Amino acid sequence: MVLGGLHLAGLAVALALASAATSLLAARWPQALRVLGLPLFGAAGLAALASGLIALLGGEVGIAVLPLGLPWLPWRLRLDALSGLFLAIIGTVSFAVAIYGPAYVRSFERGRDSIAALGTFTGLFLTGMLLVVLADDAFLFMVAWELMSLSSYFLVAFQHESAANRRAAFLYLLMAHIGGLAILLGYGVLAAFGGGFAFESMRAATLSPLWATLAFSLAFVGFGMKAGLVPLHAWLPEAHPVAPSHVSALMSGVMLKVAVYGFVRFVFDLLGPPHWQWGVTVIAVGSLSALLGVLYAMMQNDLKRLLAYSSVENLGIIFIGLGLALVFLGTDHRLLGTLAFVAALYHVVNHALFKSLLFLGAGAIHHSAHERDLEQMGGLLRRMPWTGLFFLLGCISISALPPFNGFVSEWLIFQAALQAWQLDSGVLRSLIPVASAVLALTGALVAATFVKVYGIAFLGQARSRHVRRARRVPFGMRAAQGLLAGLCLALGVLPTWVLGAIDRVPRELLGGGLRQAAAHGWLWLTPISSGTASYSAPLVVLLLAGAAGVAIWAFRRGTVRRVRRCDAWDCGFAPPSPRMQYTSTAFAQPIRRVFDLVFQIDESVSTREGGPPRYQLAIGDRAWGLLYAPVGRWVESAARQVVRLQSGNVRVYLGWTLATLLVLLWIIS
Amino acid sequence: MDHLLSQVTAWGLVLLQALLYAVLGPLLVGWVRKVKALLQNRRGAPVLQPYRDLRKLLVKETRVAHTASPLFRAAPYIVFVSTWLGAATVPLIAVDLPTAAIADIIVLVGLLALGRFFLALAGMDVGTAFGGMGASREMLVSALAEPAMLMAIFTLAMGAHSTNLSTVIGHQLAGGLALRPSILFALGGLTLVAIAETGRIPVDNPATHLELTMIHEAMLLEYSGRHLALMEWAAQIKLVLYGALIANIFFPWGIGESFSPGSLALGIGAIVAKLLLLGGALAIAESVLAKMRLFRAPAFLNLALLLSLLGLLSHVILEVGT
Amino acid sequence: MIAPLPLLQQLVLVLAAIVLLTSFVLLAQARLISAIHVFAWQGALVAAVTAVVAAAGGAPHLYFSAVLTLGLKALLIPWMLHRLARRLELDRHVETLRLPTLVVMAAVALVIFSYWLVLPMVQEGLAFTRNIVAVSLAVVLIGLLMMVFRQQAVAQVLGFMSMENGLFLAAVSATAGMPLVVELGVAFDVLVAMVLFGVFFFQIRESIESLDVDRLNRLKETAEERE
């Protein structure tokens, strides 16, 4: 059973590599991606899912040592419950993408961009992610991390004819490497104290509080940058929209989770006992990311950019949960820490599912209507009914509404935050509820954002001709979305099963599980005790459906059943045209006015001679002006100082060589 | 046999409570309108008029715009059912009903949010300017009201150590007449949030005919017949829901603590009296205050958030022993 | 669960919490006349706290303090400020804070900070009044915050006065009142300060033709111009 799990994981890696290799054939034979590459990709996903489930539900930890790597540092693989959970996530989303892919990449087969590159790098991307999750030593971890970042760079730069895409890809590569450097330094600190690069020796290391905090900071910066936490998030809304939609689903749905995996592995597993101050920092950064992410998402008109900012927000929520766990664990409240930890992991799973669903939906819209701009969409529910239905389920899930999965994880995080009364410190007891108020504000703004998205894109009337004539969505794309939407519903209605499956993870990492969560049977979710809080999703669904049935029966009989179609209310003037509808910018305007300090707003009205006035509105990210531009200027000025070394004179260069030689000789002596 | 009888009684009471919520909604709205009319020196419509209005709408033909999608026809049912289900879990006449286990405050907020989500989508469905305007404004108001409501809930939950409504009410009953600043501030915050969420003056005028001043009505502009009846009824149930929440959490005396007929009769009498008082107070407030411009609503809701926050801080600073 | 306190002590807690609320309202209140009224209520509430502490602790001299505070802080000084505002033609003056949300958030942070500062004070038997010291420190700090963020001169006076309210509240609740001599002296000082403020404001307005405290730096400019 144990070796079976690790073998399956190895099979998944092999299949992913095979998918990459066979996609190379697509250079000569374009259908290769659809026929060979993507099915192998899907098989890799299934194998990863299977091995993940075995690790979660089955027995002990599986370890393997590969004959690759350095002579004194062979690569070690390890499959424990945490790796298993993330393997399951990667596998599920990859499988859905593999079902979605063939219909979607058909449009690339006759295009200018190299479809072989698309398939190869997607396969390598999956390989990298699987190896990151399976790695048991820092060397393999960094190699796999690098593979993941590089292959996703090539995917982001896939449509490289456009200068904007190239810039986005460069920014992505730059920030991925800065983050990777921070992670490497973090591992370096641990390795120095542990005496080796294998995770085993890092676990056994004991660090002084100062060094532990330094290692934590490096890991937080490195993994936080990859996860897209504010203020290191600027690459996310640039890079994710630019890649092809199924790749965006992989990046947003899975790669960000791999960053969370790295953080959890580093801080909860390798680093030893946590300090509660770390938790406060993580909660603060998480709250800021959540709030700013959703505010920026609300203002976007580009659908994929909006979804990317929404990923920033959800990662913020996950880190709020992880921060709460650190605070509770650092103040010796192990059970509460476990609750917060499990809530964060549940949100990881949920976000992977519904964000991928939404990105696949955005891809379907792009495929059918060739449109990414919300201001041009409208009335798509008539043209794409199934995609519309699944996208609606995704919107409901991400807005954390019962009975879907987003509600369960937010409910659990609120329950964990509410237990703050058990803490000793009065300051923490006041600050944690403030953080949960920020979380509540974020949740309400998310609902507003996705009402905007769904209402503008799918409801109302089409705002442009090509959207009015959108094509039908192929079966494969619909099936993939249906699968993910069904999983969202399932995870919302059966939270006790999911918690039972995840339970091994806190048992291995934190020393105990959440046994009482299902103590009252599968029907009731009681994370702390039944007197404190309980939620029964199946009952809610049953009551909703029952009441709906009663209502429909009661209100449709005996009354006039026919429904007459007519025109919409037009105040007695001309009939409403599509141009009269609320636009995406208009919908977001009240929130923009209330929160205007958060944005960089450039608004201008200019009147030309004899022509109509022009109104221009540009909403930018403040992080650019406050952080990135100054840092960029500083780096450039430092570089200019260094350029002085380059005088061009041969004798000066020889002089530098002589000086360096003298210094080295002196050091050796 | 006794156990079976008590189970049947309990579930019968659950059904009774759900029906009471549906029935009391129009009554409360009629009462508020009556008091407002009396304050304006008019006789006003009879208190039972909303029932007649609902019946009139139910028998009328339903018209749907050409541009409407299936969501437009499904939304009234979803809004009504989610609001009714949320209301049915709030203890109205007795504290320990079997549905007490799902009476979680956060679940209640979630169910109301589900209704609001579909209401806003329904507003945007037909593709007119008014629907979009109503949806956009409603989402602004609800976004700002949510943190205030949750802070007030947290203040209560931190005192009672639970988010379960029955536990909170039980904790309040056990505490007796205790003057606690956190409870006072939470009451203030929750009252302001209730005014915003139910769309009363000063946030929104439920009786306006000017489309540009509407928030809730603008989303219902295209509805007619039984769809409109369901939406209106849902709004009325929401008013009773918030009234019952405020009445039973902050002034819980009189609520039935057992299933004996005397206790239940007292419970029904108590809640009706409390709702009449709250309705009268609401009518007076609506007559005295004017509706605010939309962009003054954030200041109103910030006051609610401040009150809830002060309630929480008072609880932590002033009320917890050491 | 906390042990239920006797009714009078609960009343003191409630009144102290409402004093904190009034200092927040004073901070953000735009209309000057309304701000003066809020300040009057704050004084009345502080007097009420004094009276209740007197009744609960059996310290009769505090009744006299309560009456003094009521007369001075709730009636006389607001009346003087009201008259001053009318003579300076500031009746309908509305001054909005530039960043109200941030200022209020800063005030909340000050409340949490004062609570944290007061934590080491552990006193048996004065448990409930220990918490009120946190509230009074917060009122003082918020009064100072008001002086920093408000530009109107009369608003600055209100901030200064509310700082004094906070100090008085701390003295009453933590030590059951100051000696009567000290109180009379402080009350007299505050009265004199009010009269001086009144005189000063007219002078300021004549010099720089506005009562915006930021414009006081114009005095420096005119001095330089003359040289």
Side-chain angles (χ1 to χ4, degrees):
Chain A
M1 189 73 152
V2 165
L3 281 182
L6 197 53
H7 279 174
L8 271 176
L11 178 65
V13 175
L15 283 170
L17 278 171
S19 163
T22 51
S23 301
L24 284 172
L25 293 175
R28 279 306 178 97
W29 177 41
Q31 280 85 357
L33 181 56
R34 245 192 313 136
V35 171
L36 280 179
L38 281 170
L40 283 172
F41 193 85
L46 274 180
L49 174 63
S51 77
L53 286 176
I54 291 177
L56 279 178
L57 302 171
E60 312 106 39
V61 175
I63 300 188
V65 181
L66 295 180
L68 301 166
L70 298 171
W72 65 94
L73 189 60
W75 287 353
R76 300 165 59 98
L77 297 176
R78 186 169 189 260
L79 180 64
D80 62 0
L82 183 66
S83 314
L85 175 66
F86 282 87
L87 277 180
I89 295 173
I90 298 175
T92 315
V93 178
S94 308
F95 181 62
V97 167
I99 300 177
Y100 182 92
Y104 187 72
V105 303
R106 209 188 265 260
S107 54
F108 289 113
E109 280 172 13
R110 275 187 292 273
R112 283 181 303 177
D113 306 303
S114 159
I115 195 172
L118 181 63
T120 314
F121 286 114
T122 314
L124 286 176
F125 185 42
L126 181 60
T127 317
M129 289 195 286
L130 290 172
L131 282 175
V132 166
V133 169
L134 286 169
D136 194 36
D137 69 279
F139 184 37
L140 175 61
F141 189 97
M142 293 311 301
V143 168
W145 189 268
E146 207 37 51
L147 179 64
M148 187 178 80
S149 305
L150 273 182
S151 41
S152 49
Y153 162 74
F154 283 110
L155 290 171
V156 169
F158 179 62
Q159 285 159 319
H160 56 87
E161 261 84 36
S162 147
N165 293 0
R166 285 199 299 271
R167 265 203 306 274
F170 171 71
L171 179 64
Y172 173 61
L173 189 65
L174 178 67
M175 301 215 55
H177 277 93
I178 296 177
L181 189 62
I183 298 172
L184 188 61
L185 288 175
Y187 277 127
V189 171
L190 278 183
F193 279 87
F197 282 97
F199 283 179
E200 278 304 320
S201 30
M202 288 185 193
R203 244 174 238 129
T206 45
L207 288 86
S208 68
L210 182 64
W211 280 107
T213 309
L214 184 64
F216 168 79
S217 316
L218 285 167
F220 190 40
V221 168
F223 289 115
M225 195 180 275
K226 192 65 165 186
L229 294 177
V230 167
L232 304 170
H233 66 287
W235 59 272
L236 229 170
E238 306 288 331
H240 282 203
V242 160
S245 298
H246 63 303
V247 172
S248 303
L250 277 178
M251 286 177 71
S252 234
V254 186
M255 189 179 71
L256 299 182
K257 311 302 170 301
V258 173
V260 175
Y261 164 81
F263 181 79
V264 170
R265 176 68 76 190
F266 195 100
V267 174
F268 285 87
D269 192 15
L270 299 178
L271 197 49
H275 303 174
W276 63 266
Q277 293 90 337
W278 300 348
V280 174
T281 319
V282 173
I283 293 179
V285 172
S287 311
L288 193 65
S289 305
L291 188 58
L292 289 182
V294 73
L295 281 173
Y296 281 113
M298 182 76 183
M299 298 298 132
Q300 302 303 317
N301 293 333
D302 180 338
L303 179 56
K304 288 174 76 170
R305 234 179 121 91
L306 188 150
L307 292 175
Y309 270 114
S310 163
S311 292
V312 171
E313 175 246 329
N314 277 289
L315 266 289
I317 295 179
I318 294 173
F319 275 88
I320 290 178
L322 291 175
L324 277 173
L326 284 173
V327 167
F328 285 128
L329 290 171
T331 49
D332 284 324
H333 292 96
R334 195 187 57 77
L335 201 58
L336 300 177
T338 312
L339 173 62
F341 184 69
V342 166
L345 287 181
Y346 206 125
H347 201 77
V348 166
V349 177
N350 288 344
H351 182 239
L353 290 176
F354 50 62
K355 191 43 69 65
S356 316
L357 170 61
L358 290 171
F359 264 111
L360 292 184
I365 295 177
H366 185 75
H367 175 88
S368 300
H370 297 292
E371 192 55 68
R372 260 171 53 178
D373 187 1
L374 276 175
E375 304 273 31
Q376 307 295 328
M377 296 185 200
L380 281 171
L381 189 57
R382 286 168 185 256
R383 307 293 301 178
M384 311 160 62
W386 285 106
T387 305
L389 174 65
F390 298 138
F391 201 90
L392 178 64
L393 297 184
C395 290
I396 300 180
S397 303
I398 200 172
S399 310
L401 301 174
F404 287 82
N405 55 357
F407 178 72
V408 178
S409 52
E410 284 221 2
W411 187 78
L412 286 173
I413 295 182
F414 278 129
Q415 292 300 332
L418 262 180
Q419 297 303 311
W421 62 268
Q422 295 193 27
L423 292 171
D424 296 320
S425 157
V427 178
L428 279 181
R429 271 204 306 260
S430 347
L431 286 179
I432 289 181
V434 173
S436 38
V438 171
L439 185 59
L441 177 62
T442 307
L445 285 172
V446 171
T449 308
F450 283 93
V451 164
K452 172 181 113 151
V453 168
Y454 198 76
I456 303 273
F458 285 92
L459 303 177
Q461 305 174 56
R463 293 175 178 78
S464 59
R465 232 184 73 219
H466 51 278
V467 169
R468 208 170 14 246
R469 303 196 187 160
R471 297 186 288 168
R472 290 195 43 84
V473 176
F475 176 74
M477 293 164 78
R478 281 182 279 153
Q481 293 177 69
L483 171 68
L484 289 172
L487 282 174
C488 285
L489 183 60
L491 262 71
V493 177
L494 299 169
T496 42
W497 287 9
V498 177
L499 281 182
I502 300 182
D503 203 46
R504 275 192 75 79
V505 182
R507 250 187 284 154
E508 283 182 12
L509 286 181
L510 303 176
L514 213 55
R515 198 169 291 277
Q516 70 280 17
H520 291 259
W522 66 275
L523 200 60
W524 295 99
L525 179 62
T526 55
I528 300 153
S529 74
S530 67
T532 310
S534 60
Y535 171 56
S536 171
L539 259 186
V540 168
V541 173
L542 195 65
L543 286 171
L544 277 175
V550 166
I552 295 176
W553 172 82
F555 287 101
R556 289 191 59 150
R557 43 150 229 142
T559 64
V560 181
R561 293 194 50 180
R562 198 174 46 127
V563 159
R564 197 139 65 107
R565 291 273 171 172
C566 61
D567 291 329
W569 169 245
D570 55 15
C571 291
F573 298 119
S577 77
R579 194 66 189 85
M580 293 183 197
Q581 292 176 102
Y582 246 51
T583 61
S584 162
T585 317
F587 193 94
Q589 188 255 9
I591 294 185
R592 185 176 84 232
R593 262 190 71 166
V594 171
F595 289 99
D596 61 356
L597 286 174
V598 170
F599 311 109
Q600 187 95 19
I601 298 181
D602 288 313
E603 206 173 358
S604 66
V605 178
S606 58
T607 46
R608 291 173 308 187
E609 294 292 330
R614 273 177 66 93
Y615 172 76
Q616 261 180 310
L617 176 68
I619 302 175
D621 195 331
R622 266 204 195 276
W624 282 107
L626 289 176
L627 181 66
Y628 293 85
V631 167
R633 277 195 296 269
W634 180 82
V635 167
E636 281 188 2
S637 70
R640 267 194 291 271
Q641 303 299 321
V642 173
V643 160
R644 296 226 191 108
L645 281 177
Q646 206 179 28
S647 64
N649 191 328
V650 171
R651 285 187 297 118
V652 174
Y653 292 157
L654 286 173
W656 280 113
T657 315
L658 179 61
T660 315
L661 190 57
L662 291 175
V663 169
L664 285 175
L665 286 172
W666 175 64
I667 291 180
I668 297 177
S669 71
Chain B
M1 189 58 195
D2 254 352
H3 179 74
L4 184 62
L5 194 61
S6 69
Q7 280 291 309
V8 168
T9 321
W11 283 101
L13 281 173
V14 167
L15 205 56
L16 175 67
Q17 181 169 285
L19 287 174
L20 261 181
Y21 269 112
V23 165
L24 282 177
L27 186 64
L28 182 63
V29 168
W31 168 247
V32 171
R33 286 187 199 156
K34 185 73 166 177
V35 175
K36 269 173 84 170
L38 289 175
L39 284 172
Q40 292 168 5
N41 227 357
R42 300 184 282 126
R43 250 206 305 211
V47 177
L48 299 180
Q49 185 62 25
Y51 292 108
R52 299 195 188 102
D53 289 336
L54 284 178
R55 202 184 61 186
K56 171 190 78 171
L57 285 172
L58 282 174
V59 299
K60 286 204 168 197
E61 185 187 45
T62 311
R63 306 193 90 190
V64 168
H66 291 299
T67 48
S69 70
L71 191 139
F72 185 81
R73 296 173 64 171
Y77 295 102
I78 299 177
V79 170
F80 180 72
V81 161
S82 62
T83 312
W84 191 27
L85 181 63
T89 59
V90 175
L92 186 67
I93 51 179
V95 181
D96 278 319
L97 291 177
T99 47
I102 56 171
D104 189 271
I105 305 183
I106 304 182
V107 174
L108 173 67
V109 172
L111 282 171
L112 291 176
L114 180 67
R116 191 170 45 233
F117 190 84
F118 276 94
L119 180 61
L121 282 182
M124 301 192 73
D125 191 59
V126 180
T128 58
F130 296 127
M133 181 186 79
S136 153
R137 290 174 171 187
E138 171 75 21
M139 296 321 281
L140 171 73
V141 170
S142 71
L144 296 175
E146 188 103 345
M149 176 149 193
L150 249 116
M151 282 300 253
I153 289 172
F154 275 15
T155 310
L156 298 168
M158 281 189 106
H161 298 165
S162 161
T163 49
N164 189 304
L165 275 168
S166 301
T167 314
V168 170
I169 295 178
H171 172 86
Q172 289 284 99
L173 276 174
L177 182 58
L179 275 181
R180 289 203 288 270
S182 66
I183 302 294
L184 286 175
F185 283 135
L187 172 62
L190 198 57
T191 310
L192 294 181
V193 166
I195 292 179
E197 292 268 349
T198 50
R200 313 298 300 188
I201 292 177
V203 175
D204 181 19
N205 186 352
T208 184
H209 299 288
L210 304 169
E211 289 93 344
L212 289 178
T213 62
M214 293 176 176
I215 300 180
H216 180 254
E217 302 301 315
M219 295 184 284
L220 304 185
L221 215 51
E222 295 298 325
Y223 277 115
S224 56
R226 61 174 180 269
H227 294 159
L228 184 58
L230 281 171
M231 290 289 211
E232 293 276 346
W233 203 347
Q236 291 160 353
I237 294 179
K238 203 165 175 185
L239 189 63
V240 180
L241 164 70
Y242 274 102
L245 209 58
I246 291 176
N248 280 343
I249 291 184
F250 295 101
F251 311 104
W253 313 287
I255 196 169
E257 296 182 58
S258 69
F259 293 162
S260 66
S263 172
L264 287 176
L266 179 64
I268 295 183
I271 189 65
V272 170
K274 288 182 227 172
L275 283 176
L276 288 181
L277 275 172
L278 279 175
L282 177 64
I284 295 175
E286 289 203 319
S287 305
V288 166
L289 298 169
K291 178 184 169 311
M292 300 183 296
R293 283 179 53 213
L294 177 70
F295 287 109
R296 286 194 173 264
F300 181 81
L301 291 165
N302 283 343
L303 178 62
L305 178 61
L306 180 65
L307 284 174
S308 309
L309 200 55
L310 280 180
L312 184 77
L313 289 175
S314 307
H315 176 77
V316 169
I317 296 178
L318 292 175
E319 291 174 13
V320 181
T322 50
Chain C
M1 271 287 276
I2 48 165
L5 298 171
L7 186 63
L8 285 176
Q9 290 183 344
Q10 284 182 7
L11 194 56
V12 173
L13 286 183
V14 172
L15 290 172
I18 304 182
V19 169
L20 186 61
L21 177 64
T22 54
S23 67
F24 270 92
V25 175
L26 204 55
L27 181 65
Q29 179 59 261
R31 289 203 212 96
L32 204 54
I33 299 292
S34 308
I36 296 174
H37 292 164
V38 172
F39 171 70
W41 276 108
Q42 195 183 50
L45 284 167
V46 170
V49 171
T50 315
V52 175
V53 169
H61 71 278
L62 280 182
Y63 283 119
F64 184 67
S65 297
V67 172
L68 188 66
T69 309
L70 187 71
L72 201 62
K73 291 289 189 53
L75 296 174
L76 183 60
I77 292 185
W79 176 75
M80 290 174 69
L81 279 171
H82 209 143
R83 210 180 56 152
L84 189 66
R86 219 165 336 118
R87 283 175 61 192
L88 289 169
E89 282 142 27
L90 293 171
D91 272 38
R92 302 199 174 270
H93 183 88
V94 170
E95 172 210 3
T96 41
L97 286 174
R98 261 183 321 146
L99 300 168
T101 318
L102 285 180
V103 172
V104 171
M105 271 169 28
V108 171
L110 283 177
V111 173
I112 299 180
F113 179 67
S114 11
Y115 173 64
W116 176 71
L117 275 180
V118 168
L119 273 179
M121 282 175 54
V122 178
Q123 286 223 13
E124 287 299 311
L126 282 181
F128 81 101
T129 51
R130 188 277 303 271
N131 299 328
I132 298 185
V133 174
V135 168
S136 16
L137 184 58
V139 172
V140 171
L141 290 175
I142 295 179
L144 195 52
L145 189 74
M146 185 177 172
M147 289 182 75
V148 169
F149 277 102
R150 296 276 234 142
Q151 290 168 312
Q152 231 284 338
V154 181
Q156 301 244 320
V157 173
L158 287 174
F160 173 76
M161 293 289 168
S162 95
M163 276 175 75
E164 214 271 320
N165 269 344
L167 286 171
F168 187 74
L169 188 64
V172 160
S173 54
T175 62
M178 306 178 271
L180 204 55
V181 172
V182 173
E183 266 190 48
L184 285 175
V186 168
F188 185 64
D189 280 340
V190 166
L191 202 53
V192 168
M194 264 311 306
V195 174
L196 284 177
F197 274 128
V199 172
F200 244 130
F201 284 166
F202 278 104
Q203 284 293 48
I204 293 176
R205 198 171 65 154
E206 272 183 43
S207 307
I208 57 173
E209 276 162 28
S210 118
L211 274 177
D212 193 337
V213 179
D214 279 353
R215 306 252 189 106
L216 280 176
N217 61 11
R218 255 202 241 164
L219 296 170
K220 175 185 73 167
E221 285 169 36
T222 48
E224 283 173 9
E225 276 171 22
R226 270 194 243 120
E227 280 171 16

